[in-house]
Amino acid sequence: METNEKLGAFILEAVAEDLKSGRFKYVRTRLPPEPNGYLHIGHCKAFLIDYYTAREFGGELYLRFDDTNPAKEETEYVEAIEEDARWLGIQWAKVTFASDYFDRLYEWAIRLVEMGLAYVDDQSPEEVSNTRGTLTEPGKESPWRNRSVEENLDLLERMKKGEFPEGSRTLRAKIDMTDPNIVMRDPVMYRIMRTPHHRTGDKWCIYPMYDWSHGQNDSMEGITHSLCSQEYIIHRPLYEWFLQKLGEFPSRQIEFSRLNLTYAMMSKRKVRKLVETGVVRGWDDPRLTTLRGLRRRGVPPEAIITFVSQTGETKNDSWVEMGQLEACIRDELNKRSLRRMAVLRPLKLVIDNYPEDQVEEMNAVNNPEDESAGTRKVPFSKVLYIEQDDFRETPPPKYHRLYPGNEVRLRYAYLVKCTGVVHDPATGAVTEVHCTYDPATRGGDTPDGRKVKSTIHWVSAQHAATVEVRLYDQLFTVEQPDVGEDIDSIINPKSLEILTGCSVEPSLAEAQPGDKFQFERNGYFCVDLDSVLGKPIFNRTVTLKDTWAKIEKSNKPD
């Protein structure tokens, strides 16, 4: 896949122009994830843009963890982000941390104080927020804004030594409280936090704000292009202001549109709530669009890369339909997945005229998209299982599958005609379907040229393995679940259905976690991590295109 197709022209053109003009002599980008949760699909776009931009120009990529908020960050998340990024195929030249630069960053803060461009503020966080102003009203200057350089240096050092209570003082840049851009109204650079850091321990009790740390870290590392999503465009003037005043390496920030996916929750805070309250089983729940969840569900990384590429690149945010991601997943799995027959809701099918003790081996294709995948042998016998949905005692209009008097083709096997049914005496439900087969139609051939309109799959009851199958659907009932705080009311109660009595080809009993298959006529499935040897559990990755579901729905009364 060509990089230009992934990124859109304007980013590459900007980088190429910077090299041509001599603004930069090389290209170095960086990924700056905060280790306070797991990566989700929204991160993929930023990660891939940074990676492919560097690769396009023979540059390098740094993976730098923005670990400036110890209250939410853990080593667990650092390791998970690295693992997920590698799974996505991203390679980096160096792993760094914002905390690597805490000492140097503090020295740079002292320089701004000495230049009269930063001051210690005694206002509480609430007071700072209340005096910042609005889009239509200017902010109010702090009563401590004009402290002397000497007093500010003394107070900053005492903040660093831990002499003041948490939240009692901050270090702020002195810019302009009337600036139309609220971000530029004396932004906070340091706050007091008495929280141990996952890497530096108790060394620090003041921690830098993101706007202060990330731009200076870019400069310290010689990052040429800081590529970030569109919401950071209002932060760019501050990014540039710090670097200009300090006279350091002038990294350049370029924004791109954010990836917004329908029915996907991107807020780490809200996903954490879902995990902590037990709505989902963990950060790797297959109903989530975390990379861990997508991987456990069976989504291949190539499908995600294709999806990001197809969304294109613009400067304006837009929404992408979940169906587009699912289409990419289907296309990728269609090329690589071995085909198997699996009956998720079994109904017994008895072939009355088939020899009682006879077992045949039918030749089945492993993947029609890949000749090298070859074929397999599937056992066939007198008693089979078929899907309950493949039989109707009273068929609705346009139903061509099995019903009394109708003939269908059994996949890879024979034509059979339904001759009768057996009902449960208590409930009246159909428990067995009886039929006859035509021995001359082995392999689905019809020597006499007669036509049948439907082919259904099956599993030999005598040879079938019984497995658990987990059917996953969208977790949310609304297209934009990040909007609003009432999460409980938008959870889809049918987002997970667990089937415990599914019958599958015998070879599937030995499937290993991560193995991927297409269950013919059902969808794409992978083996879950909960599986044990001989007892696999299958997760549905994505359904097949099902035109009958639409037809059947249209036949139901309103």
Side-chain angles (χ1 to χ4, degrees), residues 7-12 14-15 23 30 45-46 49-50 53 181 210-211 214 218 225-240 251-259 312-317:
L7 301 177
F10 82 91
I11 292 177
L12 297 180
V15 175
R23 180 174 183 172
R30 89 287 181 269
K45 182 173 185 177
I49 284 177
D50 276 292
T53 297
N181 185 345
Y210 177 79
D211 274 337
H214 92 272
D218 284 347
H225 297 89
S226 172
L227 308 177
C228 55
S229 51
Q230 191 69 20
E231 64 262 35
Y232 290 100
I233 191 169
I234 63 172
H235 296 256
R236 192 204 308 164
L238 180 57
Y239 183 98
E240 296 171 348
S251 302
R252 179 184 180 186
Q253 176 174 306
I254 303 176
E255 305 83 17
F256 52 83
S257 61
R258 181 177 178 176
L259 175 57
E313 184 42 54
T314 66
K315 297 181 181 181
N316 299 313
D317 290 347

Side-chain angles (χ1 to χ4, degrees), residues 80-93:
I81 289 170
E82 289 191 47
E83 180 183 336
D84 288 348
R86 288 194 185 97
W87 173 74
L88 200 58
I90 292 173
Q91 302 173 6
W92 48 84

Side-chain angles (χ1 to χ4, degrees), residues 14-27 57 225:
V15 175
E17 181 58 32
D18 285 344
L19 293 173
K20 182 179 179 180
S21 67
R23 180 174 183 172
F24 301 114
K25 298 185 181 301
Y26 62 90
V27 172
F57 293 96
H225 297 89

